[in-house]
Amino acid sequence: MERYYQPEIECAPREEMIALQNERLVKQVKHVWDNVAYYRKKMEEKGVTPDDIKSIDDLHKLPFLTKSDLRDAYPYGLMGKPLKECVRIQSTSGTTGKRVVAFYTQHDIDLWEDCCARAIMAAGGTDEDVCQVSYGYGLFTGGPGLNGGSHKVGCLTIPTSSGNTERQIMFIQDLQATILCCTPSYAAYIGETMKEMGLTPDQIPLKAGIFGAEAWSEEMRQDIQNTLGIKAYDIYGLTELSGPGVSFECSAQTGMHINEDHFIAEIIDPDTGEVLPEGAQGELVFTAITKEAFPMMRYRTRDICRLSREKCPCGRTHVKMMKPKGRSDDMLIIRGVNVFPSQIETVLLNYGYPANYQIIVDRVNHTDTLDVHVEMTPEMFTDNLGEIAKRQKELVDGMRSMLGISPKVTLVAPKTIARSEGKAVRVIDKRKI
Ligand code: DLL
């Protein structure tokens, strides 16, 4: 049975949703014009005033916001409310440059937690469930967002945060956790550890997982589902737009419903900025129509994906976004060819390898090199060099046909690639160092 947290909104007829979006967009543009000098200036430069925005059909007239605007306006330049009305900040885990600092009023937090509650109920959660939140707590939005959503659903919430994998497993077993929330790479690690402890899927009380914050393949989903004996649901979001819960998967597991009463999605050509027709692949752009303290207008996420309005069997009417391939800035350009780490992951999992790998890119004698280190499972492990060479060649062939270029593949011993407790670091690009 499909469960909804706010069925009247999640299953609203399309016309009703458009009417709501129109009304909220007009109001939000006025809010931003009146309160965010930085964006008002951008609008003036483009010759747009709030009077030009009468409905979502006028959205394309508004200027984009980019990550570099966030850097320029850091820390207070994009605030829509005075600091005294804000109650919280959250921040990105960005490793380069200034972090994004997002502000929230109590109302912003309330709506954000509603979005996370929708995701938990879509994964089958009820007030009878025990929900273990193993996303990091603190500045990262994963822990606080899912924690709030879990409370709203009425689950017993276990705020373990990430790390200390043995303790995670102890709580799952002792408190009979039924829902696990963490990054997919951490879920895989927890699964691997449970397997080593001799636990079989039927001995693990979990029934569902809500995994996101990084790109993960369909093959990795299968792998996690099999190891933990659960249904694994994708969840998407970003700090700039509140955090997790911008979109989430339902029982159909064929893309994530975008919470369209809060976020209007567009797909644009990342090179020209032109809006692409429905169904085309491109860069995802969001306009937040309910956020007060940190209102984002036409924010370019750099995530590459496709939207679908195909009718969903779950009954929700909100548009779905397909799994993002990764950020356009995660895309590697190697010898002129575009390569996404997720494509390499797909090949590895298809050949029965775990998703423990590292991609090392370098430039030697003016030529780009692509090295992929792949961990063997304990069952595959061998010191027969002929066998290893054969397997490496098999993976090189598989990757050549997926990517169009040949990498160098090195098989490494089990447990030699560092595990991640949050977002996995898959790529080391020495060209940038
Ligand atoms: O990762 C928020 C989040 C927390 C989402 C927990 C889901 C679960 P940031 O740290 O700001 O926020 O990173 C946002 O992560 O632009 C995507 O590139 C990527 N991302 C997030 N969810 C997914 C997903 C959180 N399900 C950035 N699939 C986004 C692919 C994802 N990429």
Side-chain angles (χ1 to χ4, degrees), residues 324-346:
K325 270 187 146 180
R327 285 198 175 205
S328 52
D329 41 349
D330 285 345
M331 187 183 79
L332 299 161
I333 303 181
I334 298 165
R335 288 173 240 144
V337 176
N338 298 348
V339 173
F340 278 100
S342 57
Q343 295 174 299
I344 291 177
E345 181 176 300
T346 296

Side-chain angles (χ1 to χ4, degrees), residues 130-134 158 160 167-169 171-172 177 179-181:
V130 178
C131 180
Q132 183 153 321
V133 183
S134 311
I158 315 182
T160 46
R167 191 181 60 191
Q168 300 277 358
I169 296 171
F171 276 124
I172 291 173
I179 301 177
L180 175 66
C181 305

Side-chain angles (χ1 to χ4, degrees), residues 203-217:
Q203 292 170 307
I204 300 169
L206 294 172
K207 64 175 190 193
I210 303 177
F211 306 135
E214 61 187 2
W216 53 308
S217 58

Side-chain angles (χ1 to χ4, degrees), residues 344-359:
I344 291 177
E345 181 176 300
T346 296
V347 175
L348 295 179
L349 287 151
N350 279 340
Y351 280 90
Y353 291 83
N356 296 319
Y357 60 96
Q358 195 142 53
I359 299 167

Side-chain angles (χ1 to χ4, degrees), residues 92 135 140-141 213-215 234-239 303 324 327 423:
T92 56
Y135 285 111
F140 179 53
T141 55
E214 61 187 2
D234 203 351
I235 182 166
Y236 169 91
L238 51 161
T239 314
D303 291 320
R327 285 198 175 205
K423 298 190 192 228

Side-chain angles (χ1 to χ4, degrees), residues 112-126:
W112 173 29
E113 292 179 351
D114 282 346
C115 290
C116 291
R118 289 181 195 174
I120 293 171
M121 289 199 69
T126 69

Side-chain angles (χ1 to χ4, degrees), residues 227-246:
T227 320
L228 291 175
I230 60 171
K231 225 173 146 167
Y233 297 84
D234 203 351
I235 182 166
Y236 169 91
L238 51 161
T239 314
E240 296 86 323
L241 294 174
S242 62
V246 170

